[in-house]
Amino acid sequence: MARRAEPPDGGWGWMVVLSAFFQSALVFGVLRSFGVFFVELVAAFQEQAARVSWIASIGIAVQQFGSPVGSALSTKYGPRPVVMAGGILAASGMLLASFATSVTHLYLSIGLLSGSGWALTFTPTLACLSRYFSRRRSLATGLALTGVGLSSFAFAPLFQWLVSRYAWRGALLLVSALSLHLVACGALLRPLSLTEDPAVGGPGAQLSSLLRHGPFLRYTVALTLINTGYFIPYVHLMAHLQDLDWEPLSAAFLLSVVAVSDLVGRVASGWLGDTAPGPVARLLMLWTALTGVSLALFPVARTPTALMVLAVAYGFTSGALTPVAFSVLPELVGTGRIYCGLGLVQMVESIGGLLGAPLSGYLRDTTGNYTASFVVAGAFLLVGSGILITLPHVFCFSASASKPQDPKMDAVDTQVSLTKEGLQED
Protein backbone atom coordinates (compact mmCIF):
# COMPACT_ATOMS: atom_id res chain seq x y z
CA MET A 1 0.00 0.00 0.00
CA ALA A 2 1.39 3.42 -0.99
CA ARG A 3 2.08 5.80 1.88
CA ARG A 4 0.69 9.34 1.86
CA ALA A 5 2.77 12.25 3.07
CA GLU A 6 -0.23 13.81 4.83
CA PRO A 7 -3.91 13.13 5.54
CA PRO A 8 -6.09 13.76 2.47
CA ASP A 9 -8.62 15.92 4.38
CA GLY A 10 -11.41 14.43 2.29
CA GLY A 11 -11.78 11.76 -0.38
CA TRP A 12 -12.64 8.39 1.14
CA GLY A 13 -12.36 10.13 4.48
CA TRP A 14 -15.97 11.28 4.10
CA MET A 15 -17.05 7.65 3.86
CA VAL A 16 -15.15 7.05 7.10
CA VAL A 17 -17.13 9.96 8.58
CA LEU A 18 -20.34 8.27 7.42
CA SER A 19 -19.25 5.00 9.01
CA ALA A 20 -18.35 6.78 12.26
CA PHE A 21 -21.73 8.57 12.21
CA PHE A 22 -23.73 5.34 12.22
CA GLN A 23 -21.26 3.56 14.48
CA SER A 24 -21.46 6.29 17.15
CA ALA A 25 -25.26 6.20 16.88
CA LEU A 26 -25.39 2.45 17.42
CA VAL A 27 -23.00 2.54 20.39
CA PHE A 28 -23.58 5.70 22.38
CA GLY A 29 -27.10 6.32 21.14
CA VAL A 30 -28.06 3.02 22.75
CA LEU A 31 -26.11 3.79 25.93
CA ARG A 32 -27.63 7.24 26.26
CA SER A 33 -31.14 5.85 25.90
CA PHE A 34 -30.56 3.12 28.48
CA GLY A 35 -32.48 5.15 31.04
CA VAL A 36 -35.67 3.82 29.42
CA PHE A 37 -34.62 0.25 30.30
CA PHE A 38 -33.22 1.31 33.69
CA VAL A 39 -36.67 2.06 35.10
CA GLU A 40 -38.11 -1.18 33.71
CA LEU A 41 -35.25 -3.33 35.03
CA VAL A 42 -35.47 -1.87 38.54
CA ALA A 43 -39.14 -2.86 38.61
CA ALA A 44 -38.69 -6.24 36.90
CA PHE A 45 -35.90 -7.52 39.16
CA GLN A 46 -36.85 -5.57 42.30
CA GLU A 47 -33.30 -4.30 42.66
CA GLN A 48 -31.87 -1.06 44.03
CA ALA A 49 -30.92 1.72 41.64
CA ALA A 50 -27.21 1.37 42.41
CA ARG A 51 -27.13 -2.31 41.43
CA VAL A 52 -29.03 -1.84 38.16
CA SER A 53 -26.80 1.15 37.34
CA TRP A 54 -23.85 -1.23 37.07
CA ILE A 55 -25.25 -2.61 33.80
CA ALA A 56 -24.60 0.56 31.81
CA SER A 57 -21.45 1.36 33.79
CA ILE A 58 -19.88 -2.03 33.08
CA GLY A 59 -20.71 -1.61 29.39
CA ILE A 60 -19.10 1.85 29.28
CA ALA A 61 -16.09 0.69 31.28
CA VAL A 62 -15.50 -2.43 29.17
CA GLN A 63 -15.83 -0.37 25.99
CA GLN A 64 -13.19 2.04 27.21
CA PHE A 65 -10.93 -0.37 29.09
CA GLY A 66 -10.88 -2.70 26.10
CA SER A 67 -10.07 0.09 23.64
CA PRO A 68 -6.30 -0.68 23.61
CA VAL A 69 -7.19 -4.17 22.40
CA GLY A 70 -9.20 -2.71 19.53
CA SER A 71 -6.35 -0.29 18.78
CA ALA A 72 -3.70 -3.02 18.79
CA LEU A 73 -5.77 -5.32 16.58
CA SER A 74 -6.45 -2.45 14.18
CA THR A 75 -2.73 -1.69 13.95
CA LYS A 76 -2.05 -5.32 13.02
CA TYR A 77 -5.07 -6.25 10.89
CA GLY A 78 -6.60 -2.90 9.95
CA PRO A 79 -9.79 -1.36 11.39
CA ARG A 80 -12.24 -3.03 9.00
CA PRO A 81 -12.26 -6.67 10.28
CA VAL A 82 -11.93 -5.49 13.89
CA VAL A 83 -15.00 -3.25 13.74
CA MET A 84 -17.03 -5.90 11.92
CA ALA A 85 -16.20 -8.46 14.62
CA GLY A 86 -17.17 -5.90 17.25
CA GLY A 87 -20.56 -5.46 15.64
CA ILE A 88 -21.26 -9.18 15.94
CA LEU A 89 -20.28 -9.18 19.63
CA ALA A 90 -22.41 -6.11 20.42
CA ALA A 91 -25.49 -7.62 18.76
CA SER A 92 -24.94 -10.98 20.48
CA GLY A 93 -24.81 -9.33 23.89
CA MET A 94 -28.15 -7.59 23.39
CA LEU A 95 -29.66 -10.82 22.07
CA LEU A 96 -28.62 -12.76 25.17
CA ALA A 97 -29.80 -9.92 27.42
CA SER A 98 -33.36 -10.39 26.20
CA PHE A 99 -33.34 -13.83 27.89
CA ALA A 100 -31.85 -12.64 31.20
CA THR A 101 -33.35 -13.92 34.46
CA SER A 102 -31.22 -11.82 36.82
CA VAL A 103 -29.26 -8.58 36.90
CA THR A 104 -26.05 -10.65 36.89
CA HIS A 105 -27.00 -12.02 33.47
CA LEU A 106 -27.33 -8.43 32.24
CA TYR A 107 -23.88 -7.60 33.64
CA LEU A 108 -22.43 -10.41 31.52
CA SER A 109 -24.49 -9.91 28.34
CA ILE A 110 -24.83 -6.13 27.96
CA GLY A 111 -21.95 -5.10 30.21
CA LEU A 112 -19.27 -7.60 29.23
CA LEU A 113 -20.21 -8.98 25.80
CA SER A 114 -21.77 -5.91 24.18
CA GLY A 115 -19.17 -3.74 25.93
CA SER A 116 -16.42 -5.82 24.31
CA GLY A 117 -18.05 -5.33 20.94
CA TRP A 118 -18.22 -1.58 21.46
CA ALA A 119 -14.52 -1.61 22.43
CA LEU A 120 -13.70 -3.07 19.01
CA THR A 121 -15.77 -0.49 17.14
CA PHE A 122 -15.58 2.99 18.64
CA THR A 123 -11.86 3.65 19.15
CA PRO A 124 -10.61 2.10 15.87
CA THR A 125 -13.22 4.05 13.89
CA LEU A 126 -12.39 7.41 15.51
CA ALA A 127 -8.66 6.78 15.18
CA CYS A 128 -9.10 5.90 11.51
CA LEU A 129 -11.06 9.13 10.99
CA SER A 130 -8.35 11.22 12.71
CA ARG A 131 -5.78 9.85 10.27
CA TYR A 132 -7.85 10.98 7.27
CA PHE A 133 -8.17 14.63 8.40
CA SER A 134 -5.89 17.40 9.62
CA ARG A 135 -7.20 20.92 8.88
CA ARG A 136 -10.83 19.74 9.01
CA ARG A 137 -10.38 17.28 11.86
CA SER A 138 -12.69 18.97 14.38
CA LEU A 139 -15.46 19.44 11.84
CA ALA A 140 -15.18 15.87 10.55
CA THR A 141 -15.23 14.53 14.11
CA GLY A 142 -18.18 16.74 15.00
CA LEU A 143 -20.16 15.55 11.97
CA ALA A 144 -19.32 11.92 12.73
CA LEU A 145 -20.42 12.24 16.33
CA THR A 146 -23.73 13.88 15.46
CA GLY A 147 -24.89 10.30 15.13
CA VAL A 148 -25.00 10.20 18.92
CA GLY A 149 -27.35 13.17 19.11
CA LEU A 150 -29.65 12.06 16.30
CA SER A 151 -29.91 8.52 17.61
CA SER A 152 -30.54 9.72 21.15
CA PHE A 153 -33.35 11.92 19.85
CA ALA A 154 -34.86 8.95 18.01
CA PHE A 155 -33.97 6.07 20.34
CA ALA A 156 -35.34 7.41 23.64
CA PRO A 157 -38.99 7.65 22.50
CA LEU A 158 -38.55 4.63 20.19
CA PHE A 159 -37.28 2.43 23.02
CA GLN A 160 -40.05 3.68 25.30
CA TRP A 161 -42.61 2.73 22.63
CA LEU A 162 -40.96 -0.66 22.10
CA VAL A 163 -41.01 -1.36 25.84
CA SER A 164 -44.69 -0.42 26.06
CA ARG A 165 -45.50 -2.60 23.03
CA TYR A 166 -43.18 -5.62 23.41
CA ALA A 167 -41.94 -5.31 27.04
CA TRP A 168 -38.27 -4.87 27.83
CA ARG A 169 -37.27 -8.33 26.56
CA GLY A 170 -38.75 -7.78 23.11
CA ALA A 171 -37.27 -4.27 23.00
CA LEU A 172 -33.78 -5.61 23.71
CA LEU A 173 -34.21 -8.20 20.96
CA LEU A 174 -34.91 -5.42 18.47
CA VAL A 175 -31.95 -3.39 19.78
CA SER A 176 -29.83 -6.45 18.99
CA ALA A 177 -30.99 -6.29 15.38
CA LEU A 178 -30.08 -2.60 15.24
CA SER A 179 -26.62 -3.29 16.66
CA LEU A 180 -25.89 -5.80 13.92
CA HIS A 181 -25.63 -2.83 11.51
CA LEU A 182 -22.23 -2.13 13.07
CA VAL A 183 -20.91 -4.83 10.75
CA ALA A 184 -21.83 -2.67 7.76
CA CYS A 185 -20.15 0.32 9.39
CA GLY A 186 -16.92 -1.64 9.67
CA ALA A 187 -17.07 -2.64 6.01
CA LEU A 188 -16.79 1.04 5.01
CA LEU A 189 -13.44 1.55 6.73
CA ARG A 190 -10.34 1.65 4.56
CA PRO A 191 -6.94 1.81 6.33
CA LEU A 192 -4.69 4.76 5.47
CA SER A 193 -0.90 4.46 5.45
CA LEU A 194 1.10 7.62 6.24
CA THR A 195 4.81 8.22 5.69
CA GLU A 196 5.41 8.96 9.38
CA ASP A 197 4.12 5.55 10.51
CA PRO A 198 7.39 3.55 10.31
CA ALA A 199 9.35 6.16 12.30
CA VAL A 200 7.04 6.36 15.32
CA GLY A 201 7.88 2.79 16.28
CA GLY A 202 5.74 -0.07 17.47
CA PRO A 203 3.20 -0.01 20.30
CA GLY A 204 5.91 -0.47 22.94
CA ALA A 205 7.95 2.52 21.79
CA GLN A 206 4.84 4.68 21.47
CA LEU A 207 3.62 3.70 24.92
CA SER A 208 7.01 4.51 26.50
CA SER A 209 6.96 7.97 24.89
CA LEU A 210 3.36 8.67 25.93
CA LEU A 211 3.89 7.65 29.57
CA ARG A 212 6.62 10.29 29.85
CA HIS A 213 4.56 13.01 28.19
CA GLY A 214 3.23 15.34 30.89
CA PRO A 215 0.48 17.09 28.87
CA PHE A 216 -0.86 13.75 27.61
CA LEU A 217 -1.02 12.36 31.17
CA ARG A 218 -2.84 15.45 32.48
CA TYR A 219 -5.23 15.34 29.55
CA THR A 220 -5.99 11.70 30.38
CA VAL A 221 -6.71 12.50 34.04
CA ALA A 222 -9.01 15.37 33.00
CA LEU A 223 -11.01 13.15 30.64
CA THR A 224 -11.32 10.49 33.35
CA LEU A 225 -12.93 13.01 35.70
CA ILE A 226 -15.16 14.32 32.92
CA ASN A 227 -16.24 10.79 32.08
CA THR A 228 -17.25 10.15 35.69
CA GLY A 229 -20.04 12.72 35.57
CA TYR A 230 -20.78 12.96 31.84
CA PHE A 231 -23.22 10.05 31.48
CA ILE A 232 -25.26 10.62 34.66
CA PRO A 233 -28.25 12.35 32.98
CA TYR A 234 -28.53 9.59 30.40
CA VAL A 235 -28.82 6.97 33.14
CA HIS A 236 -30.72 8.80 35.88
CA LEU A 237 -32.43 11.88 34.43
CA MET A 238 -35.52 9.91 33.48
CA ALA A 239 -35.76 8.41 36.98
CA HIS A 240 -35.26 11.89 38.46
CA LEU A 241 -38.13 13.22 36.36
CA GLN A 242 -40.35 10.37 37.48
CA ASP A 243 -39.52 11.31 41.08
CA LEU A 244 -40.96 14.70 40.12
CA ASP A 245 -44.15 12.92 38.91
CA TRP A 246 -43.45 13.28 35.19
CA GLU A 247 -45.11 10.84 32.80
CA PRO A 248 -42.69 8.38 31.12
CA LEU A 249 -43.32 9.71 27.61
CA SER A 250 -42.85 13.31 28.75
CA ALA A 251 -39.58 12.35 30.41
CA ALA A 252 -38.46 10.57 27.24
CA PHE A 253 -39.30 13.71 25.26
CA LEU A 254 -37.01 15.78 27.51
CA LEU A 255 -34.20 13.32 26.74
CA SER A 256 -34.93 13.94 23.08
CA VAL A 257 -34.56 17.70 23.68
CA VAL A 258 -31.15 16.99 25.20
CA ALA A 259 -30.28 14.93 22.13
CA VAL A 260 -31.25 17.67 19.65
CA SER A 261 -29.24 20.24 21.60
CA ASP A 262 -26.35 17.79 21.68
CA LEU A 263 -26.52 17.49 17.90
CA VAL A 264 -26.37 21.26 17.39
CA GLY A 265 -23.53 21.55 19.91
CA ARG A 266 -21.38 18.96 18.13
CA VAL A 267 -21.65 20.63 14.73
CA ALA A 268 -21.11 24.14 16.13
CA SER A 269 -18.13 23.03 18.20
CA GLY A 270 -16.60 21.13 15.29
CA TRP A 271 -16.79 24.25 13.12
CA LEU A 272 -15.35 26.47 15.87
CA GLY A 273 -12.57 23.99 16.55
CA ASP A 274 -11.26 24.42 13.00
CA THR A 275 -11.82 28.19 12.68
CA ALA A 276 -11.43 29.81 16.12
CA PRO A 277 -7.98 31.21 17.00
CA GLY A 278 -5.98 29.51 19.70
CA PRO A 279 -5.69 25.84 20.65
CA VAL A 280 -8.65 23.49 20.61
CA ALA A 281 -7.95 22.66 24.26
CA ARG A 282 -9.31 26.07 25.25
CA LEU A 283 -12.68 25.24 23.72
CA LEU A 284 -12.66 21.88 25.48
CA MET A 285 -12.02 23.61 28.82
CA LEU A 286 -14.91 26.06 28.22
CA TRP A 287 -17.48 23.44 27.18
CA THR A 288 -16.49 21.16 30.07
CA ALA A 289 -16.96 23.91 32.65
CA LEU A 290 -20.37 24.89 31.25
CA THR A 291 -21.48 21.25 31.21
CA GLY A 292 -20.50 20.87 34.86
CA VAL A 293 -22.48 23.97 35.85
CA SER A 294 -25.61 22.82 34.00
CA LEU A 295 -25.39 19.38 35.61
CA ALA A 296 -25.11 20.82 39.11
CA LEU A 297 -28.17 23.02 38.52
CA PHE A 298 -30.54 20.17 37.54
CA PRO A 299 -31.78 19.55 41.13
CA VAL A 300 -32.65 23.26 41.47
CA ALA A 301 -34.99 23.18 38.46
CA ARG A 302 -38.50 22.07 39.37
CA THR A 303 -40.77 23.63 36.76
CA PRO A 304 -41.05 22.20 33.23
CA THR A 305 -39.71 25.45 31.76
CA ALA A 306 -36.62 25.48 33.97
CA LEU A 307 -35.93 21.81 33.25
CA MET A 308 -36.31 22.44 29.52
CA VAL A 309 -33.80 25.31 29.63
CA LEU A 310 -31.30 23.18 31.53
CA ALA A 311 -31.85 20.26 29.16
CA VAL A 312 -30.99 22.52 26.21
CA ALA A 313 -27.94 23.94 28.01
CA TYR A 314 -26.63 20.54 29.08
CA GLY A 315 -27.28 18.97 25.69
CA PHE A 316 -25.49 21.73 23.77
CA THR A 317 -22.42 21.98 26.00
CA SER A 318 -21.99 18.24 26.55
CA GLY A 319 -22.30 17.67 22.81
CA ALA A 320 -19.86 20.51 22.09
CA LEU A 321 -17.08 19.11 24.26
CA THR A 322 -16.99 15.72 22.50
CA PRO A 323 -15.51 16.55 19.05
CA VAL A 324 -12.90 18.90 20.46
CA ALA A 325 -11.91 16.29 23.06
CA PHE A 326 -10.97 13.93 20.24
CA SER A 327 -9.30 16.74 18.27
CA VAL A 328 -6.99 17.73 21.14
CA LEU A 329 -5.30 14.32 21.24
CA PRO A 330 -3.70 14.36 17.75
CA GLU A 331 -2.36 17.84 18.52
CA LEU A 332 -0.74 16.50 21.70
CA VAL A 333 0.76 13.22 20.45
CA GLY A 334 0.76 13.39 16.63
CA THR A 335 -1.24 11.50 14.02
CA GLY A 336 1.13 8.54 13.93
CA ARG A 337 0.40 7.70 17.56
CA ILE A 338 -3.34 8.22 17.45
CA TYR A 339 -4.28 4.52 17.69
CA CYS A 340 -2.07 3.96 20.74
CA GLY A 341 -2.88 7.32 22.32
CA LEU A 342 -6.63 7.07 21.92
CA GLY A 343 -6.68 3.48 23.13
CA LEU A 344 -4.70 4.38 26.25
CA VAL A 345 -6.93 7.37 27.03
CA GLN A 346 -10.07 5.30 26.63
CA MET A 347 -8.67 2.59 28.90
CA VAL A 348 -7.81 4.98 31.74
CA GLU A 349 -11.02 6.98 31.52
CA SER A 350 -12.97 3.74 31.83
CA ILE A 351 -12.45 4.16 35.58
CA GLY A 352 -14.77 7.15 35.46
CA GLY A 353 -17.29 5.35 33.28
CA LEU A 354 -17.32 2.39 35.65
CA LEU A 355 -17.83 4.34 38.87
CA GLY A 356 -19.97 7.29 37.76
CA ALA A 357 -23.45 5.78 37.46
CA PRO A 358 -23.19 3.44 40.50
CA LEU A 359 -21.96 6.35 42.63
CA SER A 360 -24.93 8.39 41.44
CA GLY A 361 -27.28 5.49 42.22
CA TYR A 362 -25.70 5.04 45.66
CA LEU A 363 -26.24 8.72 46.47
CA ARG A 364 -29.87 8.35 45.35
CA ASP A 365 -30.40 5.32 47.59
CA THR A 366 -28.72 7.08 50.53
CA THR A 367 -30.37 10.50 50.28
CA GLY A 368 -33.72 9.53 48.76
CA ASN A 369 -33.38 11.84 45.73
CA TYR A 370 -30.98 12.70 42.91
CA THR A 371 -29.85 16.12 44.21
CA ALA A 372 -26.44 14.95 45.42
CA SER A 373 -26.06 12.76 42.33
CA PHE A 374 -26.23 15.68 39.89
CA VAL A 375 -24.22 18.08 42.08
CA VAL A 376 -21.37 15.57 42.44
CA ALA A 377 -21.48 14.80 38.69
CA GLY A 378 -21.14 18.51 37.92
CA ALA A 379 -18.24 18.82 40.35
CA PHE A 380 -16.30 16.07 38.54
CA LEU A 381 -16.55 18.01 35.27
CA LEU A 382 -15.53 21.29 36.87
CA VAL A 383 -12.41 19.70 38.35
CA GLY A 384 -11.61 18.17 34.96
CA SER A 385 -11.95 21.60 33.37
CA GLY A 386 -9.48 22.98 35.91
CA ILE A 387 -6.89 20.37 34.93
CA LEU A 388 -7.29 21.26 31.24
CA ILE A 389 -6.05 24.77 32.04
CA THR A 390 -2.57 23.27 32.56
CA LEU A 391 -2.25 22.00 28.97
CA PRO A 392 0.33 23.80 26.79
CA HIS A 393 -0.64 27.06 25.07
CA VAL A 394 -4.20 27.11 26.43
CA PHE A 395 -4.00 30.89 26.87
CA CYS A 396 -1.98 31.52 23.72
CA PHE A 397 -3.87 33.46 21.04
CA SER A 398 -1.38 33.12 18.20
CA ALA A 399 -2.56 31.50 14.99
CA SER A 400 0.16 28.85 15.10
CA ALA A 401 -1.04 27.58 18.46
CA SER A 402 -4.43 26.77 17.02
CA LYS A 403 -3.10 24.44 14.33
CA PRO A 404 -2.34 20.74 14.67
CA GLN A 405 1.13 19.45 14.09
CA ASP A 406 2.32 19.79 10.53
CA PRO A 407 1.65 16.40 8.93
CA LYS A 408 4.76 16.84 6.78
CA MET A 409 7.01 17.13 9.86
CA ASP A 410 9.56 14.37 9.99
CA ALA A 411 8.28 11.73 12.39
CA VAL A 412 11.66 11.18 14.03
CA ASP A 413 11.94 14.86 14.94
CA THR A 414 8.39 14.69 16.25
CA GLN A 415 9.35 11.74 18.47
CA VAL A 416 12.31 13.64 19.91
CA SER A 417 10.33 16.82 20.55
CA LEU A 418 7.45 14.84 22.07
CA THR A 419 9.77 13.11 24.55
CA LYS A 420 11.62 16.31 25.44
CA GLU A 421 8.37 18.16 26.01
CA GLY A 422 7.09 15.38 28.24
CA LEU A 423 10.27 15.38 30.34
CA GLN A 424 10.19 19.16 30.68
CA GLU A 425 6.53 19.19 31.64
CA ASP A 426 7.15 16.53 34.29
Side-chain angles (χ1 to χ4, degrees):
M1 180 187 298
R3 298 187 182 274
R4 296 184 64 99
E6 60 183 56
D9 262 316
W12 190 261
W14 296 115
M15 296 303 295
V16 177
V17 170
L18 180 66
S19 172
F21 171 86
F22 285 108
Q23 178 270 142
S24 63
L26 294 170
V27 174
F28 287 100
V30 171
L31 279 172
R32 286 183 166 204
S33 303
F34 192 76
V36 174
F37 292 102
F38 174 83
V39 176
E40 296 295 323
L41 294 174
V42 168
F45 294 106
Q46 296 295 302
E47 295 283 358
Q48 292 185 329
R51 191 155 190 262
V52 176
S53 297
W54 279 101
I55 300 170
S57 289
I58 292 173
I60 295 170
V62 171
Q63 180 266 315
Q64 294 173 333
F65 194 80
S67 292
V69 177
S71 298
L73 291 174
S74 296
T75 302
K76 183 173 179 62
Y77 301 107
R80 180 180 293 165
V82 175
V83 174
M84 293 176 73
I88 295 173
L89 288 176
S92 300
M94 290 294 176
L95 175 64
L96 293 174
S98 66
F99 298 98
T101 58
S102 70
V103 174
T104 303
H105 293 166
L106 294 172
Y107 292 163
L108 296 174
S109 56
I110 295 178
L112 184 59
L113 190 56
S114 290
S116 298
W118 297 330
L120 297 182
T121 59
F122 183 72
T123 302
T125 301
L126 264 292
C128 182
L129 184 149
S130 295
R131 290 169 61 83
Y132 268 91
F133 291 90
S134 177
R135 292 179 297 103
R136 302 175 179 174
R137 183 179 290 131
S138 292
L139 178 60
T141 305
L143 291 174
L145 295 177
T146 56
V148 179
L150 285 175
S151 61
S152 299
F153 173 76
F155 285 176
L158 172 63
F159 290 176
Q160 185 64 54
W161 181 82
L162 290 175
V163 167
S164 64
R165 183 70 181 270
Y166 302 107
W168 64 268
R169 294 184 186 276
L172 284 176
L173 191 62
L174 293 172
V175 172
S176 172
L178 279 175
S179 298
L180 198 59
H181 289 77
L182 287 168
V183 177
C185 294
L188 287 174
L189 300 181
R190 179 185 295 172
L192 180 67
S193 183
L194 300 174
T195 53
E196 67 180 280
D197 292 343
V200 298
Q206 295 181 37
L207 181 63
S208 176
S209 176
L210 291 173
L211 292 178
R212 291 184 293 169
H213 190 245
F216 171 77
L217 296 176
R218 294 195 296 275
Y219 167 81
T220 303
V221 171
L223 285 195
T224 302
L225 293 170
I226 293 169
N227 204 44
T228 304
Y230 183 88
F231 290 99
I232 298 307
Y234 296 102
V235 179
H236 289 147
L237 180 56
M238 191 161 182
H240 171 62
L241 294 174
Q242 291 192 10
D243 284 350
L244 299 178
D245 296 325
W246 280 48
E247 294 294 328
L249 285 177
S250 299
F253 174 76
L254 193 68
L255 287 179
S256 296
V257 171
V258 173
V260 172
S261 304
D262 177 289
L263 171 65
V264 176
R266 287 170 191 260
V267 177
S269 179
W271 176 78
L272 283 174
D274 289 334
T275 58
V280 180
R282 185 188 303 137
L283 281 176
L284 177 59
M285 179 189 67
L286 171 65
W287 298 133
T288 301
L290 292 176
T291 303
V293 171
S294 62
L295 264 176
L297 290 177
F298 261 114
V300 179
R302 295 289 175 174
T303 66
T305 301
L307 284 166
M308 186 71 69
V309 170
L310 272 181
V312 171
Y314 169 76
F316 183 90
T317 56
S318 64
L321 74 83
T322 306
V324 291
F326 287 105
S327 298
V328 167
L329 186 57
E331 294 186 5
L332 286 178
V333 305
T335 307
R337 299 170 187 83
I338 189 61
Y339 278 109
C340 184
L342 185 55
L344 185 59
V345 167
Q346 291 268 291
M347 182 185 71
V348 176
E349 70 175 351
S350 67
I351 299 171
L354 178 65
L355 299 179
L359 173 61
S360 178
Y362 170 78
L363 292 172
R364 164 63 175 85
D365 293 335
T366 302
T367 63
N369 57 56
Y370 285 98
T371 298
S373 300
F374 283 100
V375 170
V376 170
F380 276 117
L381 274 90
L382 290 172
V383 174
S385 177
I387 295 176
L388 291 172
I389 297 176
T390 68
L391 294 182
H393 312 301
V394 167
F395 294 106
C396 179
F397 288 87
S398 66
S400 60
S402 66
K403 301 300 181 185
Q405 292 181 344
D406 184 355
K408 296 181 180 180
M409 182 187 297
D410 183 79
V412 176
D413 293 338
T414 307
Q415 171 79 15
V416 173
S417 64
L418 178 67
T419 304
K420 286 181 178 180
E421 183 183 9
L423 294 174
Q424 292 170 359
E425 288 290 332
D426 288 341

